[in-house]
Amino acid sequence: IMGPVSAATKTGDIKVSYVSKGLQIKNEVGDISLQVIGEHAEVKTGSGNIFCERIPLGVNAETGEGDIFLMVVGPSSATVLRGKGRIDLGGARGSFTGVTAEGDLHVKAIPRDHWQLSSTSGNIRLELPPRTGFDLEASTETGELQLDRDDLTRPDSGNSHFHQNVNGGGPRINARSISGSIVVR
C-alpha cells in the first residue's frame, strides 16, 4: 500500500511489508516484523521482538523487553530498555545508535556514518571488513577489550579505554559497556 500507516494493538503480533510511505507501530505485548518500508519507520513494543529488513530511510525501534534485528537499514536507532534483549544489525546504511541494558549488541556492517553503541552489562561485538577506514573509541569499566584485527594496535593488558584511527580514519564508532566486553573483528 502507499501509506502512511499507523497501527496499534494491545496484545498480538504485527507484520507489515511493502509500504511506500512512513510507518508508526505501537503495541504493548507482541512481536513486530517490517519488510520493505519506503520511508522512515517508528516502532515500539512494551514486550516483544522487533524484526526490520530493507528500510532505506531508517527505523527507530524500541522494546521494553525483547530482541531487535535490523538488516539493510538507513539511519536508525535501536533500544532495549530492560532485560537481556539483544540487538543485531547487519547492512547499516547510515548512522546508528544502539542501547541495551543487559543484552549483547552485534554489528556486522561497513560504517558509512557515525555509530554510538552502548550496553550496561552486555557484550558489544563489531565485525568490519578488512581495510575499512574508521575512527574507533571503545571503553569498558570492568569488561575486556578484545581487538582481533591486524590493523588495530593491541592495548596494554588491563587497559579499559582504546582510541585509534584505523586505515586512515573515517566514520566514528563509539562503543561503551560498563561490565561487558568489547570485541572488534
Side-chain angles (χ1 to χ4, degrees):
I1 64 173
M2 193 64 141
V5 172
S6 180
T9 182
K10 191 169 183 94
T11 303
D13 298 341
I14 298 175
K15 293 182 182 184
V16 179
S17 56
Y18 300 98
V19 173
S20 297
K21 299 280 184 180
L23 179 68
Q24 289 187 329
I25 293 180
K26 184 175 182 179
N27 70 1
E28 291 182 26
V29 177
D31 295 341
I32 298 171
S33 179
L34 308 180
Q35 186 177 25
V36 190
I37 307 300
E39 290 184 357
H40 189 80
E42 295 283 335
V43 187
K44 187 175 184 177
T45 181
S47 179
N49 300 320
I50 298 173
F51 306 89
C52 299
E53 183 177 14
R54 297 188 312 198
I55 305 177
L57 295 183
V59 60
N60 291 342
E62 178 183 301
T63 181
E65 291 184 84
D67 299 330
I68 299 175
F69 303 93
L70 305 177
M71 182 61 69
V72 189
V73 294
S76 297
S77 68
T79 304
V80 177
L81 296 174
R82 58 192 175 278
K84 296 183 185 275
R86 70 179 192 265
I87 297 171
D88 281 300
L89 170 67
R93 302 290 191 252
S95 62
F96 177 68
T97 300
V99 179
T100 67
E102 300 171 38
D104 293 342
L105 205 155
H106 175 225
V107 177
K108 184 175 183 179
I110 298 170
R112 300 178 195 273
D113 204 340
H114 302 307
W115 295 346
Q116 184 73 35
L117 314 170
S118 64
S119 180
T120 304
S121 60
N123 299 321
I124 297 173
R125 184 175 56 159
L126 292 167
E127 294 183 54
L128 308 168
R131 298 181 293 286
T132 299
F134 57 97
D135 181 17
L136 176 65
E137 184 161 349
S139 63
T140 178
E141 292 181 22
T142 59
E144 178 183 333
L145 291 176
Q146 183 179 346
L147 307 175
D148 296 335
R149 291 177 60 103
D150 293 335
D151 53 5
L152 288 174
T153 305
R154 304 288 186 274
D156 295 331
S157 179
N159 192 353
S160 63
H161 184 83
F162 178 81
H163 180 262
Q164 181 179 339
N165 288 330
V166 182
N167 296 318
R172 184 179 66 247
I173 300 172
N174 290 329
R176 176 168 169 69
S177 182
I178 294 174
S179 60
S181 294
I182 299 173
V183 177
V184 183
R185 294 192 169 126

